[in-house]
């Protein structure tokens, strides 16, 4: 992927990333499926592996995806992320997820 394409995906990821107006906390429960799917897709196509990990291992993000029927999407995104060479060392799935 070219640097320009990566930057394009980064800009889109930032656009889709929900920002709470008064705090750093995001109310993932009010986010629709388009935003959730675009957000993960755009982050997966950036050169920012930490942002990908932070999103895909965020329990609130996972919970919101499950609640709106995007359970399979989470696993597809995780598999895609792990297959990318840059992300293999960042994902230690057994230590990233919290059981609720």
């Amino acid at each position: 992927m070219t640097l320009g394409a990566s930057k394009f995906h980064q800009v889109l990821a930032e656009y889709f990333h929900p920002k709470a107006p008064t705090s750093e906390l995001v109310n993932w429960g009010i986010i629709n499926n388009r935003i959730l799917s675009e957000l993960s897709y755009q982050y997966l196509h950036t050169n920012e592996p930490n942002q990908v990990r932070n999103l895909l291992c965020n329990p609130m993000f996972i919970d919101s995806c499950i609640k709106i029927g995007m359970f399979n999407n989470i696993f597809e995104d995780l598999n895609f992320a792990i297959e990318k060479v840059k992300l293999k060392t960042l994902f230690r799935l057994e230590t990233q997820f919290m059981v609720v």
Side-chain angles (χ1 to χ4, degrees):
M1 181 178 302
T2 66
L3 183 58
S6 176
K7 179 65 176 165
F8 175 74
H9 288 291
Q10 180 66 37
V11 169
L12 285 173
E14 290 169 4
Y15 171 79
F16 281 106
H17 192 86
K19 306 260 188 220
T22 58
S23 72
E24 293 295 319
L25 299 175
V26 173
N27 186 353
W28 289 103
I30 62 169
I31 307 301
N32 68 36
N33 62 344
R34 170 72 191 272
I35 291 173
L36 292 173
S37 63
E38 284 290 340
L39 185 59
S40 62
Y41 177 86
Q42 299 304 334
Y43 273 132
L44 284 167
H45 291 85
T46 66
N47 282 329
E48 299 292 334
N50 287 322
Q51 289 179 334
V52 172
R53 184 194 61 208
N54 291 342
L55 177 70
L56 295 180
C57 295
N58 180 326
M60 300 297 285
F61 175 77
I62 295 168
D63 183 60
S64 295
C65 288
I66 291 170
K67 285 180 180 174
I68 62 172
M70 293 178 57
F71 186 72
N72 288 335
N73 297 54
I74 295 169
F75 287 106
E76 290 171 5
D77 290 345
L78 285 169
N79 284 328
F80 182 81
I82 291 168
E83 288 173 8
K84 292 177 87 173
V85 175
K86 295 177 191 165
L87 301 181
K88 284 183 180 178
T89 59
L90 290 177
F91 278 91
R92 301 282 184 249
L93 296 179
E94 66 275 6
T95 60
Q96 293 294 325
F97 291 106
M98 296 173 31
V99 177
V100 180

